[in-house]
Amino acid sequence: MTDAMHIVLDETAMAAAGQGNVLASRLIHRAHAESGWFLYAPACVLVEAGRARPGTAEHLAALPGITVLDLDLAAALALARQETWAAAHSQYAAQPTPDRPDGAIIATTAPKRWQGEPVRVLDLNA
């Protein structure tokens, strides 16, 4: 287990950040200001967030503490496993990788959506 914090924003977390959610704002600040904090925005999630709240995708993608994750072949193949592209790309991004051996936590305002899925969740409603 590593000391680094790897967090993937789902589209509900992105919308919450755009609406001034304090916990989402703290995540963004930590990812920018503190070493060992990493915040990820999967490309498909940015699309959904931008559709739901215009301007959100552009704003989040421009922030220096957020890493945009491209839709590569492996992620594209995982899309069929979920109801939406955003959910699939979030779940895929949260899985362990060589850079993230423990995987990542999905930040969300809809934690029930992730029940039964093999991911860890951070509820931004708390």
Side-chain angles (χ1 to χ4, degrees):
M1 192 149 187
T2 65
D3 291 334
M5 287 295 298
H6 296 277
I7 301 171
V8 174
L9 298 171
D10 77 0
E11 73 275 15
T12 67
M14 290 182 185
Q19 295 169 340
N21 179 287
V22 173
L23 293 176
S25 295
R26 285 181 185 166
L27 288 176
I28 292 167
H29 173 74
R30 283 193 164 178
H32 175 67
E34 295 183 31
S35 66
W37 282 77
F38 302 93
L39 200 55
Y40 303 98
C44 292
V45 180
L46 283 170
V47 170
E48 287 299 318
R51 286 180 179 165
R53 183 172 162 80
T56 299
E58 292 86 353
H59 176 71
L60 288 171
L63 294 174
I66 296 180
T67 301
V68 176
L69 299 176
D70 293 332
L71 181 63
D72 60 12
L73 177 59
L77 296 174
L79 292 179
R81 297 184 195 135
Q82 285 288 340
E83 199 169 307
T84 68
W85 285 34
H89 206 180
S90 295
Q91 184 172 338
Y92 174 79
Q95 300 308 306
T97 67
D99 292 339
R100 299 182 298 275
D102 298 322
I105 299 166
I106 296 179
T108 185
T109 61
K112 290 183 180 181
R113 164 201 214 176
W114 297 104
Q115 286 180 344
E117 298 296 338
V119 295
R120 296 174 292 157
V121 172
L122 173 62
D123 184 353
L124 296 181
N125 295 311

